[in-house]
Amino acid sequence: MSTLAAIAFEGVDKTFPASRSQPPVQAARAVSFAIQAGEVVSIIGPSGCGKSTLLNIGSGLAPPTAGVVKVLGVPVQGPHPKVAFMLQKDLLLPWRTIAENVEFGLELRGLAPSKRHEISQQLLQQFRLAGFGGHYPHQLSGGMRQRAALARTLAVDPTVLLMDEPFSALDAQTKMILQQDLARSVRAHGKTVLFITHDLAEAVALSDRILVMSERPGTIVEQITVALPDRDKPLQRRKHPESGDYVARLMALLKLDADTDIH
């Protein structure tokens, strides 16, 4: 494992300035953690605690008020070519075919059409979308669209994937299938992932470590190493006898009682 973190947050604060109707809001405070190459790390915490704000800062879409984020030791000062961001919504372009959507980032980077086509066909095959490259987004199910979005994210060969609840809009069965697709792809391509979720079982199934945030202003209050086998097989992890113990520990840290919906 490399000693140089794939992505590191060092003393990151974020305060949104006051508006006419709102006072200043401190979203994140003194956030520090590092993720090594090939790790999958999830962040959980109460709604509004600054999780998405951290991903915006890590992607270069928003600057921190204080502190710094580094990718492979280099401070992030804007959108980074080695960092990809995947959201809950697939954001596929409706006027482009699925293959053209997968190739979009490659097209922006100036790759030759033949190379773009080669990469998109490999990824469509990998994500069980072979034969659907010529379809348009509206012709696909939600799960297929999200697989296409994941293929598009991986097409540009990022070092770090920032993922903001990418499966939360899917039904339970489709979500677990997508989790399996993600885990296998991350393992196969050696990607580093920072993953936000409200689903505690999902965090346990996918992660090497889980970071727990406090209420706003969010800061890291606990770090849990998930010492379960088969990170690339989240369905197997869900069945592990100790999986429920991790979920129970996370519920306790978040002060959730037995009747609280954790999804």
Side-chain angles (χ1 to χ4, degrees), residues 179-240:
Q179 290 167 356
Q180 193 88 340
D181 288 343
L182 173 64
R184 289 173 175 169
S185 299
V186 167
R187 185 65 170 264
H189 298 284
K191 301 303 180 185
T192 303
V193 180
L194 180 57
F195 190 95
I196 288 177
T197 181
H198 282 97
D199 184 336
L200 305 186
E202 178 174 67
V204 172
L206 290 175
S207 306
D208 295 303
R209 286 185 290 142
I210 301 171
L211 306 179
V212 182
M213 290 187 72
S214 67
E215 294 185 353
R216 189 173 62 239
T219 193
I220 305 299
V221 294
E222 189 79 25
Q223 173 180 285
I224 296 174
T225 298
V226 182
L228 296 178
D230 301 323
R231 194 201 70 190
D232 59 333
K233 298 176 181 177
L235 293 179
Q236 293 299 317
R237 273 195 166 191
R238 285 178 176 271
K239 300 175 186 177
H240 195 282

Side-chain angles (χ1 to χ4, degrees), residues 16 29 54 65 67 69 95 118 128 133-134 152 194 207 218 231-232 245 258:
F16 294 98
R29 174 175 55 83
L54 292 180
T65 305
V69 177
W95 58 88
E118 177 186 345
R128 293 171 287 116
R152 179 185 58 189
L194 180 57
S207 306
R231 194 201 70 190
D232 59 333
D245 296 337

Side-chain angles (χ1 to χ4, degrees), residues 22-102:
Q22 296 288 340
V25 175
Q26 187 177 20
R29 174 175 55 83
V31 174
S32 295
F33 63 89
I35 304 178
Q36 299 299 321
E39 274 195 297
V40 177
V41 174
S42 291
I43 298 181
I44 65 169
S47 294
C49 71
K51 300 184 296 296
S52 296
T53 296
L54 292 180
L55 262 59
N56 285 330
I57 294 171
S59 67
L61 295 177
T65 305
V68 65
V69 177
K70 295 179 180 178
V71 173
L72 299 174
V74 179
V76 173
Q77 296 179 327
H80 196 289
K82 285 298 182 180
V83 177
F85 201 170
M86 185 173 173
L87 303 172
Q88 178 180 339
K89 295 181 179 179
D90 59 70
L91 299 180
L92 297 175
L93 300 175
W95 58 88
R96 296 177 69 111
T97 66
I98 297 304
E100 290 169 345
N101 268 283
V102 173

Side-chain angles (χ1 to χ4, degrees), residues 10-23:
E10 300 178 1
V12 170
D13 288 12
K14 181 63 177 181
T15 299
F16 294 98
S19 66
R20 289 184 177 181
S21 59
Q22 296 288 340

